[in-house]
Amino acid sequence: ATKAVFKEKFKPVAGKIGWALAGLAFIPLISFVKPMLLVALIPVLAACGVLALMAIDKLRGMHSNAIEKITVFAQSFDGAATFVGVQFAGYSEQHVLGNAIFDAFGGPWAFLLIKIAFGILVVQALRGEKEDQKNYVLLLITIFGIGPGVRDALRMWLGV
């Protein structure tokens, strides 16, 4: 009985103390507010890529599995990190292909759209393949997207 009373009385208090301590831990990060907001925009834009995949699948009467959604998210994340970094954070694209896309279409927004389209097209193209082969290729495409995307997001967040 005393255990139940203890849980009932102190669990809410302990939860509030935990949230307060977590909030205090973020005080040193206040100088990073602008980069944090920019970095927070990246997964939101990447989620738009997944929503686009799901909308296309709905139109086609199909359903995406988790690895397909993760692949599109990873590619979209890379495109979103490049877009946010170049458009809002003062970074520049260092790759020839990225700069060619910027020049051809008038800015970094095109790179984001192309990365979303690339992720969706890869998923669509691999739908008829054997599951293990398809998952292997999707894993590679995921790694090639999420690696540079996370690197770029962390660089923005840390101001490097």
Side-chain angles (χ1 to χ4, degrees), residues 30 34 43 64 71 77 93 95 103 110 125 131 137 144:
I30 288 178
K34 180 183 175 197
S64 305
T71 300
F77 195 91
E93 177 61 35
H95 299 287
D103 293 342
E131 199 68 23
V137 173
F144 292 143

Side-chain angles (χ1 to χ4, degrees), residues 34-35 38-39 81-92 152 155-157 160:
K34 180 183 175 197
L38 290 176
V39 171
T82 299
F83 168 71
V84 169
V86 172
Q87 187 71 36
F88 302 114
Y91 289 88
S92 60
D152 294 345
R155 287 177 57 93
M156 273 183 273
W157 190 6
V160 178

Side-chain angles (χ1 to χ4, degrees), residues 4-27:
V5 171
F6 181 79
K7 269 182 135 177
E8 187 177 310
K9 285 186 176 184
F10 295 107
K11 189 174 181 181
V13 173
K16 290 176 185 170
I17 291 171
W19 280 108
L21 291 173
L24 287 173
F26 280 97
I27 288 176

Side-chain angles (χ1 to χ4, degrees), residues 1 6 9 13 17 28 36 42 45 55-56 66 80 85 88 96 102 106 126 133 136 141 143-144 147-149 151 156:
F6 181 79
K9 285 186 176 184
V13 173
I17 291 171
M36 282 178 22
I42 295 169
L45 292 172
I56 290 168
F88 302 114
V96 174
F102 293 178
L126 293 174
Q133 292 173 344
Y136 179 73
I141 299 295
I143 291 168
F144 292 143
R151 178 203 60 210
M156 273 183 273

Side-chain angles (χ1 to χ4, degrees), residues 28 47 59 74 95 114 121 145:
L59 289 172
H95 299 287
I114 287 172
L121 288 172

Side-chain angles (χ1 to χ4, degrees), residues 39-141:
V39 171
L41 179 61
I42 295 169
V44 171
L45 292 172
C48 292
V50 176
L51 291 174
L53 171 68
M54 292 168 61
I56 290 168
D57 282 348
K58 187 173 183 176
L59 289 172
R60 297 181 69 202
M62 301 180 87
H63 181 72
S64 305
N65 64 29
I67 187 69
E68 292 170 340
K69 290 176 186 174
I70 291 168
T71 300
V72 172
F73 182 84
Q75 286 296 314
S76 301
F77 195 91
D78 183 28
T82 299
F83 168 71
V84 169
V86 172
Q87 187 71 36
F88 302 114
Y91 289 88
S92 60
E93 177 61 35
Q94 296 182 8
H95 299 287
V96 174
L97 182 59
N99 282 318
I101 291 169
F102 293 178
D103 293 342
F105 297 101
W109 62 270
F111 189 77
L112 171 61
L113 295 179
I114 287 172
K115 291 293 278 189
I116 291 171
F118 173 73
I120 292 171
L121 288 172
V122 165
V123 165
Q124 299 295 332
L126 293 174
R127 286 237 165 110
E129 298 298 321
K130 292 179 185 176
E131 199 68 23
D132 59 338
Q133 292 173 344
K134 176 181 108 170
N135 288 342
Y136 179 73
V137 173
L138 290 178
L139 176 63
L140 290 175
I141 299 295

